[in-house]
């Protein structure tokens, strides 16, 4: 239940901008979220607004309990996509500032973002699949570790309709199987379970290497912090 929410749009005729803010969102657990952006009117397009505002509405959606394998797969798929996009787009926005929106007119840059998005998602999906199954095996009466490969491949096959490139799908299946052969299910969820996806964010972000190298610690931490929230959410939602 939401205690109160505010959405403010303020125009500034002097410099032809809209200052818009979504802030002071208070939930029953007293968590809050605040967002503020500034863009020029000529750049104010529907697709850009969706890009900025969609995380807000995702934040407001009620959380559904995870009670079966189908809901577990759905959780893994959605959260892997969310973390991948939030961290990638967040880093690009921070690094590029106001130029971020304008770069969506650049087809070459859009291609680089799309390639980065899918490659980061592929590793995030592996990490979260391993984490969830490892956690469940050791903390609940639910062990589907023998189904790990099927779960992962079914999710990837569903991403075909979202135009995930086939070469990335096949590469991810191969990488997942290699990791699966070495995994320690008893310890995985305890020992840096999301390290690989954090490294993937750093590797694939389309930012010049000389600049990206300065941000390494910040980039890695941004991914780990997002995953920390997902871990807490997962633990609260599981109900097998």
């Amino acid at each position: 239940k939401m205690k109160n929410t505010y959405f403010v749009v303020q125009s500034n005729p002097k410099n032809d901008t809209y200052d818009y803010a979504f802030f002071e969102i208070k939930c029953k657990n007293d968590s809050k979220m605040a967002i503020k952006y500034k863009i020029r009117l000529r750049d104010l397009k529907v697709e850009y607004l969706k890009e900025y505002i969609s995380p807000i509405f995702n934040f407001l959606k009620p959380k559904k309990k995870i009670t079966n394998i189908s809901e577990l797969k759905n959780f893994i798929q959605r959260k892997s996509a969310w973390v991948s996009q939030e961290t990638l787009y967040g880093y690009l926005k921070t690094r590029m500032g106001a130029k971020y929106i304008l770069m969506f007119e650049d087809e070459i840059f859009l291609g680089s973002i799309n390639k980065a998005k899918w490659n980061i998602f592929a590793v995030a999906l592996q990490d979260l699949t391993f984490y969830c199954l490892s956690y469940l095996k050791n903390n609940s009466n639910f062990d589907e570790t023998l189904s790990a490969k099927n779960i992962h491949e079914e999710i990837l096959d569903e991403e075909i309709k979202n135009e995930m490139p086939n070469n990335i799908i096949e590469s991810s299946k191969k990488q997942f199987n290699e990791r699966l052969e070495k995994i320690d299910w008893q310890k995985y969820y305890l020992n840096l379970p999301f390290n690989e996806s954090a490294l993937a964010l750093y590797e694939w972000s389309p930012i010049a290497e000389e600049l990206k190298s300065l941000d390494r610690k910040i980039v890695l931490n941004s991914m780990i912090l997002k995953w920390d929230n997902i871990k807490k959410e997962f633990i609260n939602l599981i109900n097998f």
Side-chain angles (χ1 to χ4, degrees):
K1 182 178 179 181
M2 307 305 297
K3 292 183 179 180
N4 51 61
T5 62
Y6 302 91
F7 181 67
V8 176
V9 178
Q10 179 178 344
S11 62
N12 188 342
K14 292 184 179 180
N15 58 8
D16 188 32
T17 64
Y18 268 133
D19 296 336
Y20 59 96
F22 200 113
F23 62 95
E24 197 63 16
I25 301 175
K26 292 184 179 179
C27 302
K28 60 183 179 181
N29 62 355
D30 291 325
S31 61
K32 301 178 182 179
M33 182 172 72
I35 297 179
K36 182 175 181 179
Y37 300 108
K38 179 184 289 185
I39 63 176
R40 293 189 179 280
L41 289 175
R42 63 174 177 267
D43 300 323
L44 191 60
K45 299 181 180 180
V46 174
E47 57 266 33
Y48 300 154
L49 285 177
K50 287 180 180 178
E51 187 72 33
Y52 279 110
I53 298 175
S54 60
I56 297 169
F57 293 103
N58 289 335
F59 179 85
L60 297 176
K61 287 181 180 178
K63 304 296 189 298
K64 185 179 179 180
K65 290 289 185 179
I66 302 171
T67 61
N68 55 52
I69 195 67
S70 177
E71 290 170 351
L72 176 63
K73 286 194 296 184
N74 181 263
F75 176 86
I76 292 172
Q77 185 173 20
R78 288 187 301 105
K79 296 305 178 180
S80 297
W82 182 82
V83 169
S84 303
Q85 294 181 40
E86 280 289 294
T87 52
L88 174 61
Y89 296 154
Y91 178 40
L92 294 178
K93 289 174 188 176
T94 301
R95 242 305 164 195
M96 301 175 67
K99 293 181 180 179
Y100 170 77
I101 292 178
L102 300 179
M103 290 303 292
F104 276 83
E105 302 293 337
D106 186 328
E107 292 297 327
I108 295 177
F109 186 68
L110 279 176
S112 297
I113 292 178
N114 194 54
K115 182 178 181 180
K117 176 189 72 176
W118 284 120
N119 277 284
I120 296 167
F121 168 74
V123 183
L125 183 61
Q126 296 171 27
D127 282 357
L128 189 54
T129 301
F130 286 138
Y131 171 81
C132 289
L133 295 179
S134 174
Y135 182 91
L136 288 169
K137 177 179 175 64
N138 291 282
N139 294 279
S140 70
N141 188 29
F142 185 86
D143 185 358
E144 285 290 331
T145 53
L146 294 178
S147 302
K149 180 179 179 180
N150 289 337
I151 291 171
H152 178 254
E153 292 190 353
E154 286 173 8
I155 294 174
L156 284 178
D157 290 341
E158 289 180 9
E159 289 297 336
I160 294 175
K161 66 176 181 282
N162 294 324
E163 300 183 353
M164 184 175 185
N166 286 330
N167 65 313
I168 297 179
I169 290 176
E170 294 306 314
S171 175
S172 182
K173 288 180 179 179
K174 180 180 178 181
Q175 185 180 17
F176 182 89
N177 291 336
E178 291 173 351
R179 295 178 66 183
L180 183 59
E181 292 178 358
K182 304 173 184 177
I183 193 170
D184 183 342
W185 290 112
Q186 301 293 334
K187 299 179 180 179
Y188 183 87
Y189 77 102
L190 297 172
N191 298 329
L192 301 175
F194 300 104
N195 196 53
E196 293 299 317
S197 51
L199 291 171
L201 172 64
Y202 177 79
E203 176 185 353
W204 288 102
S205 294
I207 297 294
E209 289 297 328
E210 61 269 22
L211 296 176
K212 192 161 60 174
S213 62
L214 301 174
D215 304 330
R216 180 181 172 86
K217 185 175 181 180
I218 295 174
V219 173
L220 297 180
N221 284 340
S222 71
M223 176 70 91
I224 297 303
L225 288 173
K226 284 289 190 298
W227 281 127
D228 283 345
N229 292 331
I230 299 303
K231 286 159 62 177
K232 293 175 184 177
E233 182 179 349
F234 175 69
I235 293 170
N236 288 331
L237 291 178
I238 52 178
N239 187 29
F240 286 98

